[in-house]
């Protein structure tokens, strides 16, 4: 990753959230009205590409995937009543700039991505609606939990931790090291983690999307590294004191009415969201 530049995957994700409101029809899975202003001059070009080619499996699938997982996770933030929200691999996430406040948001990501995001935020004149803390971390080399503690995360109050679009890019050792650090959080803390399925558990649409997506991320220098089955995921989390409460695919991540559509967005079996709580 080049200094001063964000993850290109983070850029593509933000573009998909921005394009969703322009390209896709109602009902919208997520109303991210900040993504387009955040992208600034890049927005017109990228959204235009989605507008011209939005029915392509890779573009439509990315819009479905990114908006459904954000909908699910942000709903959990609201329902949990957590006063601390940790976003591991925050990228160009805009929750802190759309939320109603009342929650302290810790954005954890690579220093290069955070540097670019600050530049984009300043250029767009965007300010958070509550308190946001930027925590620079290289997940393959640094301890994110030590960095979070230094940044002011309160270990005595439960936190909701989201880990979306990250684990597949990490080695199994890095995933385990990050999960191990959850033990430092207060009992009752919650994790929402996205993981990608191996080929045997995907449907035809998921296989087709995976073929396009794997090539795209590899060309960006961010190849997929780790795939997990639901059973492997549950055992992995249990080994770090986490009890799985829910494990859902895209179809069940949002209300059923969201998939009653006349556009290109469809649920497919490729990514899943697991929600787990920390119990001692």
């Amino acid at each position: 990753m080049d200094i001063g530049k964000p993850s290109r995957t983070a850029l593509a994700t933000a573009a998909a959230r921005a394009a969703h409101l322009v390209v896709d029809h109602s009902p919208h899975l997520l109303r991210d009205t900040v993504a387009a202003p955040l992208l600034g001059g890049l927005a017109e070009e990228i959204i235009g590409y989605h507008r011209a080619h939005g029915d392509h499996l890779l573009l439509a699938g990315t819009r479905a995937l990114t908006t459904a997982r954000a909908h699910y996770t942000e709903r959990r933030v609201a329902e949990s009543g957590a006063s601390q929200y940790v976003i591991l691999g925050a990228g160009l996430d805009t929750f802190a700039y759309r939320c109603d406040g009342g929650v302290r948001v810790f954005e954890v990501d690579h220093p290069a991505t955070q540097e670019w995001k600050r530049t984009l935020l300043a250029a767009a004149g965007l300010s958070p609606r509550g308190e946001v803390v930027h925590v620079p971390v290289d997940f393959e080399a640094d301890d994110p939990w030590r960095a979070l503690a230094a940044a002011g995360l309160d270990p005595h109050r439960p936190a909701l931790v989201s880990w979306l679009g990250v684990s597949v890019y990490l080695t199994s050792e890095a995933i385990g090291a990050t999960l191990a650090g959850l033990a430092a959080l207060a009992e009752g803390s919650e994790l929402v983690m996205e993981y990608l399925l191996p080929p045997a558990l995907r449907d035809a649409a998921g296989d087709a999307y995976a073929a396009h997506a794997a090539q795209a991320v590899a060309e960006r220098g961010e190849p997929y590294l780790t795939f997990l089955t639901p059973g492997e995921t549950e055992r992995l989390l249990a080994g770090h004191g986490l009890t799985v409460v829910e494990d859902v695919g895209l179809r069940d991540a949002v209300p059923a009415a969201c998939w009653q559509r006349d556009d290109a967005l469809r649920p497919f079996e490729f990514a899943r969201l697991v929600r787990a709580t920390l119990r001692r």
Side-chain angles (χ1 to χ4, degrees):
M1 191 176 298
D2 296 331
I3 297 302
K5 294 185 178 181
S7 157
R8 292 174 65 186
T9 300
L11 188 60
T13 299
R17 295 197 310 268
H20 176 55
L21 294 179
V22 176
V23 175
D24 301 315
H25 305 160
S26 182
H28 290 115
L29 280 63
L30 180 77
R31 297 196 62 82
D32 188 343
T33 57
V34 178
L38 177 64
L39 292 174
L42 295 171
E44 183 176 350
E45 176 185 353
I46 300 175
I47 293 175
Y49 190 77
H50 275 265
R51 194 193 297 272
H53 307 285
D55 288 350
H56 189 280
L57 177 62
L58 180 60
L59 295 179
T62 299
R63 295 197 305 276
L65 179 62
T66 57
T67 54
R69 73 190 186 192
H71 175 114
Y72 179 88
T73 306
E74 292 180 12
R75 186 178 72 234
R76 281 305 308 152
V77 175
E79 292 174 352
S80 70
S83 59
Q84 301 183 110
Y85 177 34
V86 176
I87 310 176
L88 297 177
L92 301 181
D93 189 273
T94 62
F95 174 81
Y97 301 84
R98 295 181 283 108
C99 68
D100 295 330
V103 58
R104 193 179 190 200
V105 181
F106 294 83
E107 294 193 0
V108 185
D109 213 333
H110 194 283
T113 297
Q114 292 192 334
E115 181 181 337
W116 188 325
K117 183 173 185 178
R118 284 195 179 95
T119 300
L120 293 175
L121 289 167
L126 293 170
S127 300
R129 295 196 172 185
E131 184 178 3
V132 59
V133 181
H134 297 279
V135 186
V137 163
D138 180 342
F139 284 100
E140 289 287 357
D142 302 329
D143 181 346
W145 305 107
R146 181 176 298 176
L148 279 161
L153 183 71
D154 187 345
H156 304 294
R157 289 187 294 141
L160 191 142
V161 179
S162 72
W163 204 15
L164 309 177
V166 178
S167 68
V168 71
Y169 299 106
L170 301 179
T171 62
S172 57
E173 292 79 12
I175 294 171
T178 298
L179 291 174
L182 283 163
L185 301 182
E187 183 173 6
S189 291
E190 184 170 301
L191 171 71
V192 176
M193 172 182 163
E194 180 189 39
Y195 66 95
L196 300 191
L197 295 169
L201 297 183
R202 302 171 193 158
D203 59 12
D207 262 337
Y209 178 84
H212 288 288
Q215 179 179 350
V217 297
E219 290 173 352
R220 296 172 188 151
E222 299 171 316
Y224 292 154
L225 297 178
T226 300
F227 299 91
L228 296 166
T229 69
E232 288 170 339
T233 302
E234 183 172 7
R235 289 190 292 274
L236 177 63
L237 296 175
H240 295 287
L242 290 155
T243 301
V244 171
V245 177
E246 189 172 35
D247 189 319
V248 298
L250 292 190
R251 182 175 299 279
D252 297 319
V254 298
C258 289
W259 296 121
Q260 297 173 9
R261 321 188 56 82
D262 60 0
D263 55 26
L265 259 63
R266 299 290 184 274
F268 53 96
E269 284 296 322
F270 175 57
R272 293 187 68 83
L273 295 165
V274 61
R275 179 165 65 90
T277 57
L278 181 64
R279 301 295 181 197
R280 294 188 177 89

